[in-house]
Amino acid sequence: MKIPAPVSKRIALYHRCVATLLSEGKSTTSSQELGERLVLKPSQIRKDLSYFGEFGKRGTGYDLKDLRLSLENVLKINKTWNVCIVGAGNIGTALANHKEFLKEGYKIIAFFDRNTSKIGKKIGEKGILVYPMSELEDKVRLLKIEIGVIAVPASEARNVSEMLVKVGIKGILNFAPTKLKLTDAEIEDVDIAVSFKTLTFKMGVREIERNRSNCKENN
Amino acid sequence: MKIPAPVSKRIALYHRCVATLLSEGKSTTSSQELGERLVLKPSQIRKDLSYFGEFGKRGTGYDLKDLRLSLENVLKINKTWNVCIVGAGNIGTALANHKEFLKEGYKIIAFFDRNTSKIGKKIGEKGILVYPMSELEDKVRLLKIEIGVIAVPASEARNVSEMLVKVGIKGILNFAPTKLKLTDAEIEDVDIAVSFKTLTFKMGVREIERNRSNCKENN
DNA sequence: TAGATTGTTAATCGATTAACAATC
DNA sequence: TAGATTGTTAATCGATTAACAATC
């Protein structure tokens, strides 16, 4: 079945919300409660979940533990994913130091960089090794790496993405400000510069509205 | 006029693409060319641009310099925005060291942290000072800060967001995995954990398709 | 004029939502 | 049984796209 793109995004949010509710000591929830927390319509949540099965009980709602497990299966985080980061810079280091990702099933186990001064160094608190690009293929096989994070400048991103696909990587998290056009891997973009610009765009729109309503007040 | 949310996102992409084309020495472009680069339909690009004005010339396309300027006005990056980062951790440091943002009009000029051991320290290559939370109001006024980046743990995010709004911040870039519910500021979420999960979800869907088509081959 | 490409309208497509029967 | 809440259908809403007149 074809899953609408917005649904894929929201499923991850549901999973997090369910985990939060569990950590608060709750044992059941409803589409109503999830909707309040995530600012979504209950009917949308029920519809989204229905793409993947029937997880609730009519009259009583959802068992949180069951739902969390079901969502983990849907999101494929019922296993640990080994992740490499190409580009041993600031973003890569920040990711490596972030404990949350490991907890959620994403284990960063290798860096790759073409800068010889970085090769052999250990990155971050966990001391993750930086390998040369020439070892990409070997290490991906040896360490069973399935996900590649692209944290290099835009100019190198396309090249790196092709190298990753060539060695069998099937999923790429792309921090570079470049549209990658690959057919053999799934790509998810994290584009901070675009987020900044979207933010100031929306601030501009709101400012205009504020001015308009002020104007009306004065009439 | 109400601008659809997907349009706000794409406008930032158009701006970047136009800048790239200019840096390649080109002087004009077309909705066709932009569409190829960004993997979008030319008609969508023309429609999106039409929300903000008429930027092209029939028969010849768009003048790149003109279009870039127009898009900078739309995105409100015809000025420099002063930005503070709350949370002097790894993500904040990565942002502070990233030269691209300053180039695009976002100037990170202050850190805030409640951890006393970090206060007074200088962060990153540019040595940006860390202030205590108690100075938030003063510094925001003094340094004309208009945007706040939330780079604290989820548990503190809501609190920090309310403090930011209270001192007059009108735009928030939120890296914390929490849904913020503010009405007095625009919020843009950067949610890396959700991106990871969306990625593995899509990888799972594709794997299923691969298996199905393999299965068919064998019949 | 002929060719190209825009801006805009109308048609299509897809996502969201309300409503409700099913059922705990 | 009465109350609650699901899963699902059908209606609504909104975004994308094709088509084309306008015009460079």
Side-chain angles (χ1 to χ4, degrees):
Chain A
M1 196 202 314
K2 221 357 220 57
I3 308 296
V7 176
S8 336
K9 291 255 158 214
R10 286 194 298 263
I11 290 290
L13 294 175
Y14 301 161
H15 175 259
R16 173 186 289 153
C17 195
V18 165
T20 306
L21 287 163
L22 267 167
S23 77
E24 291 172 6
K26 298 208 171 69
S27 63
T28 60
T29 190
S30 62
S31 57
Q32 169 85 32
E33 184 174 41
L34 290 169
E36 276 164 20
R37 297 240 176 175
L38 297 168
V39 194
L40 296 169
K41 294 264 150 56
S43 56
Q44 176 160 72
I45 291 172
R46 294 200 302 275
K47 176 114 235 259
D48 285 355
L49 293 175
S50 77
Y51 284 101
F52 307 101
E54 305 192 1
F55 304 125
K57 249 209 205 67
R58 289 163 200 239
T60 57
Y62 302 90
D63 180 86
L64 280 170
K65 275 195 181 166
D66 287 356
L67 184 55
R68 181 174 58 176
L69 197 65
S70 303
L71 291 175
E72 279 168 5
N73 288 330
V74 168
L75 291 166
K76 295 288 173 298
I77 45 177
N78 43 8
K79 58 167 267 186
T80 297
W81 294 84
N82 291 330
V83 177
C84 73
I85 300 180
V86 184
N90 289 302
I91 298 168
T93 307
L95 293 177
N97 282 338
H98 205 86
K99 286 125 199 129
E100 217 58 28
F101 300 136
L102 177 57
K103 233 185 277 175
E104 305 206 311
Y106 303 97
K107 189 177 187 181
I108 293 153
I109 49 169
F111 274 87
F112 294 93
D113 207 297
R114 68 171 196 185
N115 183 339
T116 46
S117 73
K118 286 181 177 169
I119 291 161
K121 289 251 165 69
K122 287 180 173 180
I123 298 284
E125 294 152 18
K126 300 214 200 75
I128 299 159
L129 254 173
V130 183
Y131 299 105
M133 294 305 291
S134 57
E135 292 186 30
L136 185 64
E137 182 156 19
D138 280 359
K139 294 298 174 202
V140 162
R141 187 164 13 87
L142 220 67
L143 300 172
K144 298 188 193 319
I145 294 169
E146 294 176 279
I147 293 175
V149 174
I150 296 185
V152 300
S155 55
E156 294 171 43
R158 204 185 70 128
N159 203 356
V160 166
S161 73
E162 285 165 3
M163 294 171 78
L164 286 170
V165 167
K166 203 174 287 172
V167 301
I169 292 290
K170 291 276 180 286
I172 292 175
L173 194 65
N174 176 40
F175 281 82
T178 314
K179 178 73 194 169
L180 299 173
K181 291 159 198 161
L182 300 171
T183 50
D184 292 336
E186 291 296 332
I187 297 173
E188 192 65 23
D189 289 309
V190 179
D191 198 327
I192 300 170
V194 162
S195 298
F196 263 114
K197 287 175 194 159
T198 306
L199 178 64
T200 47
F201 168 76
K202 292 194 294 183
M203 290 168 77
V205 171
R206 191 191 282 231
E207 172 115 41
I208 292 165
E209 282 164 14
R210 249 199 312 273
N211 291 344
R212 218 196 336 263
S213 72
N214 281 352
C215 192
K216 268 190 205 141
E217 270 171 35
N218 298 339
N219 291 350
Chain B
M1 196 203 313
K2 225 348 226 57
I3 308 296
V7 175
S8 337
K9 292 253 158 218
R10 286 193 298 264
I11 290 289
L13 294 174
Y14 301 159
H15 175 259
R16 173 185 290 154
C17 195
V18 164
T20 305
L21 287 163
L22 267 168
S23 78
E24 290 172 7
K26 298 209 171 67
S27 63
T28 59
T29 190
S30 62
S31 57
Q32 169 86 32
E33 184 174 39
L34 290 169
E36 276 163 19
R37 296 240 177 175
L38 296 168
V39 194
L40 297 169
K41 296 264 148 57
S43 56
Q44 176 160 74
I45 291 172
R46 296 200 300 277
K47 176 112 235 259
D48 285 356
L49 293 176
S50 77
Y51 283 102
F52 307 102
E54 304 193 1
F55 304 125
K57 249 210 206 67
R58 288 162 200 241
T60 56
Y62 302 89
D63 179 87
L64 280 170
K65 275 193 181 169
D66 288 354
L67 184 56
R68 182 175 57 175
L69 197 64
S70 304
L71 291 175
E72 280 169 4
N73 289 330
V74 168
L75 293 166
K76 296 285 175 298
I77 46 176
N78 43 8
K79 57 168 267 185
T80 297
W81 294 84
N82 291 331
V83 176
C84 73
I85 301 180
V86 184
N90 289 302
I91 298 168
T93 307
L95 293 177
N97 282 337
H98 205 83
K99 287 125 199 128
E100 217 58 28
F101 300 136
L102 176 57
K103 234 186 277 174
E104 305 204 311
Y106 303 97
K107 188 177 186 182
I108 293 153
I109 50 169
F111 274 88
F112 294 93
D113 207 297
R114 68 172 198 185
N115 184 338
T116 47
S117 74
K118 286 181 178 169
I119 290 162
K121 290 251 165 67
K122 287 180 174 181
I123 298 284
E125 295 152 17
K126 302 215 198 73
I128 299 160
L129 254 174
V130 183
Y131 299 104
M133 294 306 290
S134 57
E135 292 186 30
L136 185 65
E137 183 157 18
D138 280 358
K139 294 298 175 204
V140 163
R141 186 163 13 88
L142 219 68
L143 300 172
K144 297 189 194 318
I145 294 168
E146 293 176 279
I147 294 174
V149 175
I150 296 183
V152 300
S155 55
E156 295 171 41
R158 204 184 70 127
N159 203 357
V160 166
S161 73
E162 286 165 3
M163 293 171 79
L164 286 170
V165 167
K166 202 174 287 171
V167 301
I169 292 290
K170 290 278 180 284
I172 292 175
L173 195 66
N174 176 40
F175 282 81
T178 314
K179 178 74 193 167
L180 299 173
K181 292 158 197 162
L182 300 172
T183 49
D184 292 336
E186 291 296 332
I187 297 173
E188 192 66 23
D189 289 310
V190 179
D191 198 327
I192 300 170
V194 161
S195 298
F196 263 115
K197 287 176 194 159
T198 306
L199 178 64
T200 48
F201 168 75
K202 293 195 295 183
M203 290 168 77
V205 171
R206 191 190 283 231
E207 173 115 42
I208 291 166
E209 281 164 14
R210 249 200 313 273
N211 290 344
R212 218 196 337 263
S213 72
N214 281 352
C215 192
K216 267 188 206 143
E217 268 170 36
N218 297 339
N219 290 350

